[in-house]
């Protein structure tokens, strides 16, 4: 195919993405597994157990979608290669140009789908809870916590996810002491799980009249929302439920009733809160958040790469850093686990996080440790 080197390079990358998608699917056995699903679905007793039936239908649909995706990318690639050959034969540069642009766009799509195929963990497809807590440092850290909250909300909105603020504690002068969000959408937990850890900011403080550089720390913790298929038992004697008057940044919309709920889990020391208007709703939200935290602990126990934040109680300080955001004296965001870095600090703080997340996700799948990544 007499095409430009750039297009040939894109074709090669797309072919590699297709091959990796097929590997993740175990392509040779996929047709047989679909036949097995078909036979099970035809069983007249299947819906005697609705929960099992629904699980089976979801698994079948997931496999069908994955097979169709690999086939459609391969077909689209071949169609455009054929168009380029046809355009070259007829000396029609407009046709060639359109097909080349389609291949370049397909390269991006194939890379995204290849990455999404890595999100096959037990809870990766679930919605997620995201907690942000400022570290020591007063106003400076509270402002950094608010910047991170904005960053994640913007990232989620770009993904088309639904974002719900569960609770928030305002800083005394600026920013927030803490905030908790529920982020809903396909693979929300799978994407965000790599963000658990301590995030470090270096900048000229806007709160320092001497214009000195300051270093601030904020911790981020991510937990999957447990669905009805995951059973987490909580002993009523292990929890304490308190109600209190919720507070925010002030103003006419502040909730002034004692409707906010705090649940403390004695065995683990986990504390979760919710401050919606309905106390009944808050109990339900807080209990789900607690179960999610307990489930995350179980996931960590099973995982060979235990999340350092949960392992070390997540103190927002030097020891648990996963990423540095340097705004002065130079511009750089660097992930300390993968060594992935970018000078586009504005883009990152505006929610362009996919590159950082993808590097960590690929590292986790490859089985490299944090120390190995740093060594490289």
């Amino acid at each position: 195919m007499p095409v430009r080197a750039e297009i040939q390079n894109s074709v090669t990358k797309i072919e590699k993405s297709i091959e990796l998608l097929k590997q993740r699917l175990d392509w040779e056995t996929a047709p047989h597994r679909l036949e097995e699903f078909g036979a099970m679905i035809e069983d007249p007793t299947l819906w005697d157990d609705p929960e099992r039936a629904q699980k089976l239908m979801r698994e079948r649909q997931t496999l069908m979608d994955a097979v169709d995706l690999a086939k459609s990318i391969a077909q689209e690639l071949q169609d455009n290669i054929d168009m380029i050959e046809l355009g070259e034969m007829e000396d029609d540069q407009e046709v060639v140009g359109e097909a080349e642009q389609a291949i370049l766009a397909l390269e991006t799509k194939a890379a995204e789908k290849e990455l999404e195929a890595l999100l096959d963990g037990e809870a990766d497809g679930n919605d997620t809870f995201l907690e942000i807590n400022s570290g020591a440092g007063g106003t400076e850290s509270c402002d950094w916590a608010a910047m991170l909250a904005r960053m994640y909300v913007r990232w989620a909105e770009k993904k088309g996810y639904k974002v719900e603020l569960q609770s928030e504690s305002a800083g005394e002068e600026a920013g927030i002491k803490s905030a908790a969000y529920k982020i809903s959408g396909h693979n929300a937990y799978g994407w965000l799980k790599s963000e658990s850890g301590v995030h470090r900011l270096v900048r000229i403080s806007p709160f320092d009249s001497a214009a000195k550089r300051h270093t601030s720390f904020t911790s981020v913790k991510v937990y999957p929302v447990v669905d009805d298929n995951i059973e987490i038992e909580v002993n009523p004697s292990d929890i304490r439920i308190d109600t209190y008057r919720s507070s925010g940044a002030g103003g006419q919309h502040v909730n002034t009733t004692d409707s906010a709920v705090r649940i403390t889990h004695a065995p683990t020391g986990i504390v979760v809160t919710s401050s919606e208007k309905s106390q009944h709703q808050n109990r339900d939200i807080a209990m789900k958040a607690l179960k999610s935290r307990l489930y995350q602990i179980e996931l960590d126990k099973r995982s060979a790469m235990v999340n350092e934040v949960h392992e070390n109680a997540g103190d927002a300080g030097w020891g648990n850093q996963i990423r540095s955001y340097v705004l002065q004296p130079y511009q750089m965001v660097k992930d300390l686990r993968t060594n992935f870095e970018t000078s586009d600090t504005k883009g990152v703080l505006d929610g362009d996080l996919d590159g950082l997340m993808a590097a960590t996700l690929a590292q986790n799948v490859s089985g490299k440790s944090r120390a190995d990544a740093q060594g490289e």
Side-chain angles (χ1 to χ4, degrees), residues 60-230:
R60 175 176 177 265
Q61 190 62 49
T62 297
L63 180 57
M64 288 176 62
D65 290 346
V67 169
D68 289 345
L69 174 65
K71 287 181 177 179
S72 68
I73 292 176
Q75 187 61 56
E76 188 175 345
L77 175 61
Q78 189 59 53
D79 288 346
N80 283 292
I81 290 174
D82 292 343
M83 287 299 293
I84 290 175
E85 292 178 344
L86 181 62
E88 293 284 359
M89 288 173 58
E90 299 183 357
D91 196 23
D92 189 335
Q93 292 306 307
E94 184 176 352
V95 169
V96 172
E98 289 178 356
E100 287 181 344
Q101 289 303 310
I103 286 176
L104 292 174
L106 184 61
E107 179 191 345
T108 300
K109 174 185 175 182
E112 290 175 351
K113 297 304 179 183
E114 176 192 330
L115 182 60
E116 287 180 6
L118 301 179
L119 298 172
D120 60 356
E122 185 173 3
D124 283 354
N126 291 26
D127 300 338
T128 190
F129 290 113
L130 173 75
E131 294 183 3
I132 299 171
N133 293 281
S134 63
T139 300
E140 184 69 26
S141 290
C142 287
D143 189 54
W144 174 220
M147 290 169 66
L148 282 176
R150 173 184 177 275
M151 180 182 79
Y152 287 118
V153 168
R154 290 209 167 191
W155 172 85
E157 289 173 346
K158 288 177 181 180
K159 285 284 186 184
Y161 291 161
K162 179 182 178 182
V163 180
E164 300 170 82
L165 179 64
Q166 303 286 292
S167 63
E168 182 179 282
S169 175
E172 293 180 4
E173 296 181 29
I176 57 173
K177 292 180 181 177
S178 64
Y181 296 89
K182 179 183 178 184
I183 299 176
S184 305
H186 182 57
N187 286 333
Y189 173 69
W191 280 107
L192 279 167
K193 65 182 180 182
S194 64
E195 296 301 295
S196 280
V198 173
H199 298 245
R200 170 179 173 250
L201 173 69
V202 179
R203 65 170 177 174
I204 300 294
S205 172
F207 307 101
D208 185 346
S209 58
K212 293 182 179 179
R213 269 195 302 158
H214 283 246
T215 300
S216 306
F217 300 94
T218 289
S219 72
V220 173
K221 298 181 182 180
V222 179
Y223 313 96
V225 174
V226 288
D227 56 30
D228 294 336
N229 297 318
I230 300 171

Side-chain angles (χ1 to χ4, degrees), residues 41-70:
I41 287 171
E42 291 176 4
D43 184 350
T45 65
L46 174 66
W47 288 95
D48 291 348
D49 185 348
E51 186 174 323
R52 175 178 174 272
Q54 290 173 3
K55 183 174 184 292
L56 189 68
M57 295 295 283
R58 285 196 300 270
E59 290 175 352
R60 175 176 177 265
Q61 190 62 49
T62 297
L63 180 57
M64 288 176 62
D65 290 346
V67 169
D68 289 345
L69 174 65

